[in-house]
Amino acid sequence: MDFTRDILLENDRALLRPLLATDIDLLQEPAADPALWLYTLTRADSRPALEAYVAAALQGREQASRYPFVIIDKQMGRVAGSTSYYNVVPEEQRLSIGYTWIGSDFQRTGLNRAAKHLLLRYAFEELSYERVELETDARNHKSQNAMRQMGASQEGTLRSHRPTQGGIRRDTIIFSIIRPEWAALRQTIFGAFDTNRG
């Protein structure tokens, strides 16, 4: 995966483009709801916290450890949130999708699934990777349900896995989608966003 390349991903519903430092103003409104950050590793619901979040994401791209995107809702014509590739291991043909959040106004609209369609399609069809991982806080049942509904398989729990807010270490639930599963998921769960089903 080329971290220096500007990757643009688009379907009928969502546009993902690389995160820029100048996106802070566009992200401030959708990021403002404290409920979005209840189970995340860091918060971004204040201007200083959002600035730190964006700076860390951009530093991750410079270090080739994270590729952050802005999520744009094409129906509303607005920036809705952000998502990233991370834990990219080319020699093992695997990566993770995470650091995903969308503003409250855009939840339960299909936008998250449209964004996941783009990220999965690029990982499996353009990068030819074999495995995509997703992880979430064990307390975040909403996120776990969303991962199951998009066809990801729950693999297990990493106990005391990562430090998170409040000075605690969280248990992390790991999900995955593997390459042999993608063709069926593309046609079914993500079919509404796939204009190249032929």
Side-chain angles (χ1 to χ4, degrees):
M1 182 172 172
D2 185 354
F3 284 83
T4 66
R5 180 182 167 207
D6 284 342
I7 300 171
L8 296 173
L9 306 176
E10 186 173 10
N11 55 28
D12 289 343
R13 181 63 199 281
L15 170 65
L16 273 55
R17 63 158 175 79
L19 176 69
L20 304 171
T22 53
D23 288 325
I24 291 171
D25 289 337
L26 297 173
L27 290 168
Q28 191 164 359
E29 183 181 342
D33 183 357
L36 293 178
W37 309 99
L38 187 59
Y39 297 115
T40 56
L41 297 173
T42 58
R43 302 184 71 90
D45 51 341
S46 69
R47 180 77 183 204
L50 181 59
E51 289 173 352
Y53 181 95
V54 170
L58 295 176
Q59 183 179 30
R61 183 176 175 188
E62 288 175 10
Q63 297 171 345
S65 63
R66 176 177 171 187
Y67 196 109
F69 294 91
V70 162
I71 302 170
I72 298 171
D73 185 323
K74 292 174 65 176
Q75 287 182 357
M76 296 189 187
R78 292 167 53 198
V79 168
S82 182
T83 190
S84 296
Y85 287 131
Y86 69 106
N87 285 346
V88 181
V89 187
E91 62 272 22
E92 297 179 5
Q93 295 180 296
R94 64 178 172 86
L95 55 71
S96 295
I97 294 171
Y99 297 96
T100 303
W101 61 271
I102 59 172
S104 303
D105 290 351
F106 306 90
Q107 294 182 14
R108 299 186 180 279
T109 67
L111 181 63
N112 182 49
R113 189 170 291 189
K116 291 296 194 300
H117 166 257
L118 292 170
L119 294 166
L120 290 165
R121 187 178 68 186
Y122 189 80
F124 289 125
E125 298 181 19
E126 299 298 324
L127 297 177
S128 298
Y129 276 21
E130 293 293 328
R131 174 180 170 86
V132 172
E133 296 178 357
L134 305 103
E135 64 177 57
T136 190
D137 191 308
R139 300 168 297 171
N140 191 345
H141 300 291
K142 181 178 176 182
S143 177
Q144 292 168 46
N145 288 336
M147 291 176 184
R148 290 185 193 100
Q149 289 170 5
M150 63 179 239
S153 296
Q154 182 173 335
E155 295 188 332
T157 303
L158 302 179
R159 298 179 302 157
S160 190
H161 181 223
R162 302 182 75 174
T164 190
Q165 300 176 52
I168 64 172
R169 293 189 65 88
R170 79 174 198 187
D171 293 346
T172 297
I173 308 290
I174 299 291
F175 289 79
S176 72
I177 295 174
I178 59 175
R179 187 177 176 85
E181 298 166 341
W182 172 240
L185 292 176
R186 177 183 166 184
Q187 296 289 327
T188 55
I189 289 174
F190 297 98
F193 312 112
D194 200 332
T195 56
N196 301 311
R197 282 180 283 174

